[in-house]
Amino acid sequence: MAQAKRIVLASRPVGEPKVSDFRLEECPLPTPGEGEILLRTIWLSLDPYMRGRMSDAASYAQPVPIGGVMEGGTVCEVAASNNPGFAKGDIVLAGAGWQTHAVSSGKGLRKIDPALAPISTAVGVLGMPGMTAYTGLLDIGQPKEGETVVVAAASGAVGSAVGQIARLKGARAVGIAGGKDKCEHVVKELGFDACLDHRDPDLAAKLRDACPKGIDVYFENVGGAVFEAVFPLLNFFARVPICGQIATYNVTEMPAGELRTSVLTRAILTKRLTLRGFIVYDFAAREADFLRDVSAWLREGRIKHREDVVDGIEKAPRALIGLLRGENFGKMLVRVAQRER
Ligand SMILES: NC(=O)c1ccc[n+]([C@@H]2O[C@H](COP(=O)([O-])OP(=O)(O)OC[C@H]3O[C@@H](n4cnc5c(N)ncnc54)[C@H](OP(=O)(O)O)[C@@H]3O)[C@@H](O)[C@H]2O)c1
């Protein structure tokens, strides 16, 4: 009998997740009922938010229950269909999670045209991370020509798009990334004006030198020490889209830091700063604009993207642990299966 595989949450991690917090299970291939389709996962996206779903701390989304299939965005092939809206072989964007197969009613799926771009981009630069960069930067950051935009995790899925879109809007883009290779890629391949290593003990001084006119937009992906280095350099009326805080996702206690609440709020007042948190779904109404603009930029070669691929669903736990440590170099993906045709 054909088998499917899935990875479930075995236990809630304390601090950094361990491979034993996940469990690989084999189960019979599910059978689609009336009006349903069988999905076969080709690509599974690994994203930092998954660390949040492993925890039961209060958040904007429900945690994965213990024993539940890990949540995740996927690009799937329709393997069988009892739904007239889908044919065998169709490629769809789905939230099938960490499993090789899933049954769906078809609701919420988006068909992907493989002729337009590699299908993996539907969970990368043309998917959730790309839309996060596009909306957070343009709708909250609102960079103007000649302004300075700073973004950390700059070689990653979101940060790489943020800097490149900032440049397309005529701003200067300064990246912050982990290590020499990532920084070189950010400048030489992605065209940022500068990139600094966040592990450099002189980060604050080097950032000041790289931003001689101060910072007008800081796209916050990281928090922690990077935010501390950026904050004194923010210009009057600077905008700070708060997108992520990856430096704190595995911590069991928040770091002390210099920015006590009154110091922070006084600076927000006197410099008239705008700090706004957002979740990409807040901007769902902008999806058509995002797809139109970023698809065109990609086609014209004005935006580049890099993928970091591991093969086999069994590798997903280790790859997520690595992503949270900065071991990925580009959009983290699991190739779960090859396409049939
Ligand atoms: N608000 C939303 O709707 C939304 C949607 C998508 C993503 N996000 C957030 O956006 C951020 C980037 O996500 P992504 O998918 O593009 O991931 P990514 O950048 O592809 O991968 C994560 C990167 O974070 C960096 N990092 C990890 N720990 C760090 C630390 N202590 N200090 C500095 N950098 C650290 C590492 O890069 P380096 O090696 O360069 O340090 C790592 O490669 C995350 O915070 C994520 O939660 C938010």
Side-chain angles (χ1 to χ4, degrees):
M1 192 189 200
Q3 294 281 297
K5 289 180 186 170
R6 61 188 179 207
I7 292 180
V8 302
L9 181 64
S11 49
R12 299 208 184 279
V14 180
E16 184 177 63
K18 301 183 292 301
V19 170
S20 57
D21 292 323
F22 304 87
R23 187 172 61 245
L24 177 69
E25 293 182 347
E26 292 209 358
C27 49
L29 205 62
T31 314
E34 204 183 320
E36 291 183 331
I37 57 180
L38 176 65
L39 297 174
R40 184 172 156 266
T41 304
I42 308 294
W43 292 103
L44 165 65
S45 173
L46 294 183
D47 299 275
Y49 75 82
M50 291 168 172
R51 176 64 184 84
R53 300 293 192 278
M54 297 177 79
S55 157
D56 58 6
S59 187
Y60 62 90
Q62 289 297 313
V64 173
I66 297 292
V69 175
M70 283 290 297
E71 209 175 287
T74 54
V75 177
C76 298
E77 189 172 57
V78 174
S81 178
N82 296 328
N83 179 324
F86 296 88
K88 185 169 168 3
D90 281 352
I91 301 292
V92 294
L93 175 65
W98 295 28
Q99 51 188 348
T100 57
H101 297 80
V103 162
S104 163
S105 67
K107 202 166 159 246
L109 302 184
R110 195 181 88 209
K111 282 195 197 176
I112 296 165
D113 182 352
L116 293 182
I119 60 172
S120 57
T121 58
V123 286
V125 65
L126 291 178
M128 185 279 282
M131 182 150 156
T132 302
Y134 179 91
T135 55
L137 180 67
L138 299 183
D139 293 29
I140 303 176
Q142 303 182 13
K144 321 261 177 326
E145 201 154 336
E147 287 191 335
T148 299
V149 174
V150 174
V151 61
S155 69
V158 175
S160 61
V162 167
Q164 294 182 87
I165 297 172
R167 296 262 316 158
L168 286 171
K169 297 292 171 187
R172 257 186 103 239
V174 175
I176 299 173
K180 187 166 162 283
D181 289 353
K182 286 186 178 180
C183 286
E184 256 181 42
H185 170 77
V186 165
V187 173
K188 291 190 182 147
E189 293 296 318
L190 306 181
F192 284 43
D193 297 276
C195 188
L196 308 170
D197 187 343
H198 65 80
R199 293 192 196 97
D200 187 329
D202 289 334
L203 174 67
K206 290 198 175 149
L207 190 60
R208 205 166 41 241
D209 293 345
C211 304
K213 294 190 196 157
I215 297 171
D216 302 292
V217 180
Y218 173 53
F219 192 102
E220 169 65 309
N221 275 337
V222 163
V226 174
F227 188 75
E228 302 265 344
V230 163
F231 196 74
L233 302 178
L234 290 175
N235 287 334
F236 280 62
F237 298 102
R239 287 82 63 199
V240 182
I242 301 193
C243 171
Q245 297 265 290
I246 196 164
T248 64
Y249 293 173
N250 280 339
V251 302
T252 46
E253 230 171 83
M254 284 293 176
E258 286 298 310
L259 292 173
R260 296 172 302 279
T261 312
S262 321
V263 177
L264 190 68
T265 50
R266 186 182 161 83
I268 292 171
L269 167 65
T270 56
K271 285 190 174 175
R272 280 84 106 200
L273 304 176
T274 301
L275 283 76
R276 179 175 160 194
F278 75 103
I279 301 296
V280 58
Y281 311 113
D282 301 342
F283 294 103
R286 293 271 278 145
E287 191 179 28
D289 298 335
F290 155 69
L291 285 172
R292 180 199 60 223
D293 288 349
V294 180
S295 308
W297 293 333
L298 204 58
R299 231 178 10 253
E300 293 157 7
R302 298 170 81 196
I303 282 210
K304 293 183 183 160
H305 69 111
R306 177 182 172 124
E307 296 177 340
D308 190 339
V309 176
V310 295
D311 278 290
I313 196 149
E314 299 82 355
K315 302 250 178 74
R318 183 63 198 81
L320 180 65
I321 294 167
L323 172 84
L324 296 164
R325 288 181 186 166
E327 289 172 4
N328 64 307
F329 193 166
K331 167 68 206 147
M332 190 73 237
L333 293 166
V334 182
R335 189 172 13 225
V336 177
Q338 302 283 346
R339 272 178 73 191
E340 267 183 5
R341 50 177 187 153

